[in-house]
Amino acid sequence: MLEEAERKHRQFFDLLSAPSARPVWEPPADIFADGAQMYVVVALPGARVDDVTVHITPTGLQVDTTVPPPATSALMNVVRLEIPYGRMRRRIELPPGRYVLSERRFEHGYLHLRLTREIP
């Protein structure tokens, strides 16, 4: 489990494999299940709630946002740049089924989603 968490942490700074005109960062996500409920937490530091979109797809869900870099003087040189800025996209596969977004909230840089699996 620690290896998986470490791998996901490293992926936070990896670019998505799909080609794009601009870089796209893949933020880390935690997923919890409780019966027909799925709880998803996505780390989106610096994102504004109005700029985050969530789409439920046939295979899971997709979260998109753009985080602008901090405003600094044009005369400043970058000494270290570790926080991701720009486009962020996370595709999350879910167990088979149809889901409805039951809850969405944004707190302290984390997007919290609760999905409910529809019972046919």
Side-chain angles (χ1 to χ4, degrees):
M1 204 155 95
L2 285 174
E3 286 178 6
E4 176 71 10
E6 210 170 276
R7 184 180 65 78
K8 290 290 185 186
H9 187 261
R10 283 192 307 270
Q11 280 183 343
F12 183 74
F13 296 102
D14 289 343
L15 296 176
L16 289 175
S17 59
S20 174
R22 301 180 317 197
V24 180
W25 299 96
E26 184 178 38
D30 293 336
I31 303 168
F32 307 92
D34 181 14
Q37 302 287 312
M38 299 291 295
Y39 298 90
V40 179
V41 181
V42 183
L44 299 171
R48 293 179 340 132
V49 67
D50 295 337
D51 296 335
V52 177
T53 61
V54 177
H55 299 284
I56 298 176
T57 69
T59 59
L61 81 123
Q62 180 173 306
V63 176
D64 289 285
T65 193
T66 300
V67 177
T72 59
S73 165
L75 302 175
M76 295 182 102
N77 293 315
V78 174
V79 175
R80 177 174 293 164
L81 191 62
E82 295 182 0
I83 300 171
Y85 302 106
R87 282 183 54 202
M88 294 187 187
R89 172 176 289 158
R90 181 62 192 254
R91 293 184 182 113
I92 300 168
E93 288 187 28
L94 298 174
R98 293 180 54 101
Y99 293 88
V100 174
L101 185 60
S102 317
E103 179 185 359
R104 173 189 165 147
R105 62 188 164 84
F106 194 78
E107 292 179 346
H108 308 291
Y110 293 96
L111 176 65
H112 298 262
L113 304 171
R114 182 167 50 106
L115 303 163
T116 303
R117 186 179 314 157
E118 291 182 336
I119 299 173

